[in-house]
Amino acid sequence: MLYPEHIPFTEALLQWFHTTARPLPWRGHYDPYAVWISEIMLQQTQMERGVLYYKRWMEKFPTLAHVANAHDEEILKAWEGLGYYSRARNLHKAAQRVMHEHAGVFPENYEDIRSLPGIGDYTAGAIASIAYNVPVAAVDANVRRVFARIFDIDTPIAGSAADDFIRHMAEALIPEGKARLFNQALMELGALICNKAPRCLHCPVNSFCRAYSLGIVAERPILGKKTEYTALEIISGVLVHQGRIFIQKRPESGVWAGFWEFPGGKLEAGETPEQGICREFLEETEFSINVTHSFGTVRHAYTRYRITMHCFACCLSPCANVRPARESLPLADSLDPTFPIPTLHAATEYRWATFSDLDALTFPAGHRKFMEMYRSQLEQIMQEGCSEAAG
């Protein structure tokens, strides 16, 4: 219920949104499928990057049915670079559920939306309100920050008491028939004005903000315990043989399930990175390899980890005990079609891949970043061989 004292706040906010709303590609028509994709993509993703991926996605999968009928690897490849790949897998499962249980029509009811894989309270509220104008709250980090300042919430924002209050107010403030606009306006305010470095002088509702009137905006919201990050040293090896690169596919469960990768793993105490990559190849494939070239290091992060990855070019050891086989590979006539077969201990599949194969497959973010950073060196090694390139 919208109380009379709140009407000036909502009117000011909606007027501001009407004149300054960003022209995002899913706004205007508010197709439920488009809204759903945008909301899933924008989780843990900056807006500019999200818009770029959204446009690419909609070109490849213009309808929900296209998503439902796609192969897992198509979905992961289209998502590559956005991270948090469980989002893509859940999106795929949800599309199949909608096709089977809702005749291909994305549901309007909040509870039905909430029951789909990968959709929580916020996402269900955002889709229901933005796509269908249902008067339900959509409380994300932006809305929590705005309300912590507007109402001067002096307890940790992630606490249950603060969360219950914010959700109640977010729904109570929705003007009749304007849930779509109001929820977007709140999120837009948090993203553009009331962000971590607030622009209070430009805020359309600063006259209603208790923290602003008290001069304590910088002290709101009150956050919980700061996230602690774990540093990891990883080794990764590019094994080249007969102009091909060895890659393997991770198991269908666990981190980066089903992704392709270069063999490697965590550096153990007391060993050098060169020793570590030789050990990893032996443990994962039973290949005995020599390190021929160090590319350097790649730094990246995911969830609560900060990764330093040592990257090496490798070749099979002259004394390697490997099983050769004439495989059905699409090799150029000039290449010897005899490639050694690994004994896989950490993967489900393997390939001796061309460079173009690498572009077409899905890799973890750190491996993709490595390929982008050292692309010319990789191409040289594949053309000339490890020993020549290393020299």
Side-chain angles (χ1 to χ4, degrees):
M1 176 181 178
L2 182 60
Y3 296 102
E5 62 267 27
H6 295 146
I7 291 176
F9 168 83
T10 59
E11 288 181 342
L13 181 63
L14 290 175
Q15 178 58 36
W16 170 80
F17 184 67
H18 176 73
T19 58
T20 63
R22 289 172 289 182
L24 302 176
W26 49 87
R27 284 179 175 166
H29 54 83
Y30 293 119
D31 172 61
Y33 167 63
V35 172
W36 172 46
I37 296 300
S38 71
E39 287 297 334
I40 300 299
M41 280 193 169
L42 289 176
Q43 296 170 13
Q44 307 293 332
T45 304
Q46 293 183 341
M47 179 63 75
E48 184 177 353
R49 187 173 182 81
V51 168
L52 176 64
Y53 272 82
Y54 170 87
K55 290 179 178 178
R56 291 177 182 173
W57 180 277
M58 298 305 285
E59 288 176 2
K60 186 171 182 61
F61 307 113
T63 69
L64 189 149
H66 284 87
V67 177
N69 295 328
H71 190 276
D72 289 347
E73 288 202 4
E74 289 183 273
I75 298 292
L76 291 175
K77 183 60 183 175
W79 201 270
E80 187 180 37
L82 279 176
Y84 298 92
Y85 289 89
S86 61
R87 293 182 296 170
R89 292 188 177 92
N90 283 328
L91 193 152
H92 195 200
K93 294 175 185 175
Q96 293 170 339
R97 281 265 301 273
V98 171
M99 294 300 296
H100 295 150
E101 298 178 11
H102 300 279
V105 178
F106 200 90
E108 177 178 350
N109 178 270
Y110 174 90
E111 296 299 334
D112 288 339
I113 298 173
R114 181 66 177 81
S115 71
L116 294 173
I119 294 183
D121 292 340
Y122 160 73
T123 306
I127 296 171
S129 62
I130 296 173
Y132 294 111
N133 209 24
V134 176
V136 293
V139 178
D140 67 352
N142 287 319
V143 172
R144 288 188 177 92
R145 188 187 314 111
V146 169
F147 278 21
R149 290 168 176 165
I150 292 291
F151 295 104
D152 184 25
I153 298 175
D154 60 0
T155 58
I157 201 67
S160 59
D163 191 60
D164 290 345
F165 173 79
I166 289 171
R167 290 182 181 280
H168 169 75
M169 292 306 301
E171 198 154 296
L173 287 170
I174 296 174
E176 186 176 356
K178 296 181 179 180
R180 168 183 294 149
L181 298 176
F182 180 76
N183 283 349
Q184 288 184 96
L186 271 181
M187 290 185 275
E188 194 95 330
L189 183 72
L192 301 182
I193 302 294
C194 195
N195 48 33
K196 292 181 181 179
R199 301 166 57 213
C200 295
L201 294 179
H202 301 276
C203 179
V205 292
N206 59 17
S207 62
F208 305 97
C209 181
R210 295 178 186 173
Y212 180 65
S213 67
L214 295 171
I216 56 172
V217 171
E219 299 173 29
R220 300 289 182 268
I222 295 176
L223 304 176
K225 185 178 179 180
K226 188 176 181 180
T227 302
E228 295 183 1
Y229 295 98
T230 300
L232 291 179
E233 279 196 277
I234 301 294
I235 58 266
S236 184
V238 178
L239 175 60
V240 177
H241 179 72
Q242 298 284 358
R244 298 262 174 155
I245 290 178
F246 179 84
I247 58 174
Q248 61 185 17
K249 192 174 187 182
R250 296 178 64 87
E252 293 302 321
S253 61
V255 180
W256 298 308
F259 283 30
W260 291 89
E261 66 174 1
F262 305 114
K266 185 178 178 181
L267 187 66
E268 294 187 354
E271 67 181 359
T272 67
E274 290 83 357
Q275 292 170 335
I277 195 58
C278 292
R279 172 186 54 76
E280 285 288 341
F281 261 96
L282 200 59
E283 291 176 353
E284 294 186 7
T285 67
E286 297 190 18
F287 283 165
S288 178
I289 58 106
N290 291 332
V291 172
T292 61
H293 178 70
S294 172
F295 291 103
T297 59
V298 173
R299 300 182 189 279
H300 70 108
Y302 73 95
T303 59
R304 297 185 177 183
Y305 297 96
R306 296 295 180 263
I307 309 297
T308 299
M309 185 167 70
H310 304 270
C311 306
F312 298 97
C314 311
C315 65
L316 289 168
S317 170
C319 60
N321 181 23
V322 297
R323 298 176 294 154
R326 298 180 67 85
E327 297 187 277
S328 302
L329 294 172
L331 300 175
D333 293 338
S334 60
L335 294 177
D336 182 351
T338 302
F339 283 80
I341 301 175
T343 301
L344 298 177
H345 295 286
T348 58
E349 297 179 40
Y350 77 96
R351 288 190 194 182
W352 288 99
T354 65
F355 204 83
S356 60
D357 288 336
L358 303 184
D359 288 335
L361 298 172
T362 307
F363 285 81
H367 289 210
R368 182 60 68 188
K369 186 176 182 179
F370 157 70
M371 286 187 275
E372 292 171 355
M373 289 175 63
Y374 297 103
R375 188 178 185 90
S376 61
Q377 291 186 47
L378 281 169
E379 289 177 328
Q380 181 186 358
I381 286 172
M382 291 192 72
Q383 292 169 4
E384 301 178 4
C386 282
S387 298
E388 293 86 341

